[in-house]
Amino acid sequence: MAKFANITGWGKCMPPAVMTNDDMATVLDTSDEWIKSRSGISERRVSHVPVSDLASVAGQRALAAAGYQPEDVDLLIVATCTPDTVIPSTAAHVQKKMGAANAAVFDLNAGCSGFIYSLEVATAMIRAAGYKRVLIIGAERITWFLNWSLRDTAVLFGDGAGAVLVEPSDEECGLLASHLGCEGDALEALLLPNFGTAGNRFVDDYAKFDVSFDGREIFRRAVRGMAQEITKVLDDLGLSNDDIDIIIPHQANARIIESLANHLSVPMSQVALNIQNYGNTSAATIPVALCELLEDGRIKHGNRLLLAAFGAGLTRGAGMIRWGDRVTPLAQSDAELPPCDQTALEIMSEAIKHTG
Ligand SMILES: CC(C)(COP(=O)(O)OP(=O)(O)OC[C@H]1O[C@@H](n2cnc3c(N)ncnc32)[C@H](O)[C@@H]1OP(=O)(O)O)[C@@H](O)C(=O)NCCC(=O)NCCS
């Protein structure tokens, strides 16, 4: 069995419709100034298609970058908390759309930590069970779930997908150490109570999606939880903060990211930050940021990339990647989303009408 699991392909798919903070202020009691200063977000994308479409395009782009076809994939993991359907998994829809007919498939729901959880699972399955080409896709259509009358959550999230292909390797690269956890005692801090089998589907307000959300509590726990997991990862590898080349944190709030960088004494120039363009896309934030670092030529062979995330659960995780030798894609995919002829506000108009 291989000792290491290298990332050899990457791709992203961001839906085209942009909702700016000013757009939001036309339907909510909020402002560009408030959203930017409290979260760092300027705009986000709103998907006109199901999450499996975003995932399928991102997945095909990652496969092309690694020089493979969909039928070469033997395991497909979709990290999402906004599935197309509960039965079957989103991964099954993605398998069908991509034509990845030879893949075992499953969804992994660890909220915004889903990508790090999936990378640990994929690495372990390559090392212990002999899988050869594992496609991980972090994909979310969170705007579909938002209650557009709740300004504290509606302004924070967006849609998108990012994917990586992971393969066995003899070189010391890929995910070298990771730690995952969950603070279930605080799960009410981010909870969608009226959806799922714990609820009564025959009452009128079922599926109204009035998310229960305690932003301050999550903020506090996020910085502390990520810092704890990072310390364990660095200790495992015998490394210090100085050995980190780039931090790729979950993008939930620019102030959380700055606090983390401060805590680690790593300058913001070494931290991936794209929340201004996309908001919080949950399990997609880390793979999308990774893709953009590669597109910008910021990742070199041998770089140490520290991932850190937290999310609904309240899950948390950190991992250290040593980057392998591929920094340019082998090929480009021609996969595209169906065209979108609506503005973001038009896509959301029905949801806004029903919850406003
Ligand atoms: C949500 C978050 C941006 C709020 O920032 P904050 O500085 O803690 O702001 P507060 O919650 O203290 O709210 C301050 C005020 O702004 C108001 N407010 C909340 N949302 C607003 C909005 N969209 N526009 C304008 N005002 C808003 C509040 O009502 C409150 O008013 P009050 O002081 O009169 O009560 C921040 O706590 C956060 O990012 N939390 C973590 C993010 C997260 O949980 N992501 C999901 C999990 S990964």
Side-chain angles (χ1 to χ4, degrees), residues 33 36 62 72 98 117 158 164 172 207 226 272 284 324 333 335 349:
E33 200 280 325
K36 257 194 210 145
D72 298 325
M98 286 183 50
Y117 269 65
V164 296
E172 186 181 5
M226 286 193 292
S333 162
S349 60

Side-chain angles (χ1 to χ4, degrees), residues 24 28-31 34-35 37-41 111-113 150-157 189-190 213-220 222 250-256 280 282 309-312 314:
M24 296 226 100
L28 279 173
D29 180 15
T30 190
S31 67
W34 191 95
I35 301 171
S37 62
R38 299 298 178 110
S39 71
I41 299 165
C112 302
S113 309
L150 301 177
R151 65 178 183 173
D152 58 342
T153 45
V155 301
L156 297 177
F157 295 96
L190 183 49
F213 178 72
D214 182 345
R216 279 187 200 173
E217 180 67 5
I218 300 172
F219 197 120
R220 202 173 58 76
H250 170 50
Q251 311 279 311
N253 187 316
R255 291 186 294 138
I256 294 178
N280 179 350
S282 186
F310 63 94
L314 299 173

Side-chain angles (χ1 to χ4, degrees), residues 15 32 48 52 63 84 114 121 128 137 143 162 165 178 223 233 236 284 321 338:
D32 178 50
H48 61 299
S52 63
L63 276 178
D84 272 27
V121 170
I137 310 173
T143 60
L165 187 77
S178 55
V223 178
V233 167
D236 273 5
I321 292 173

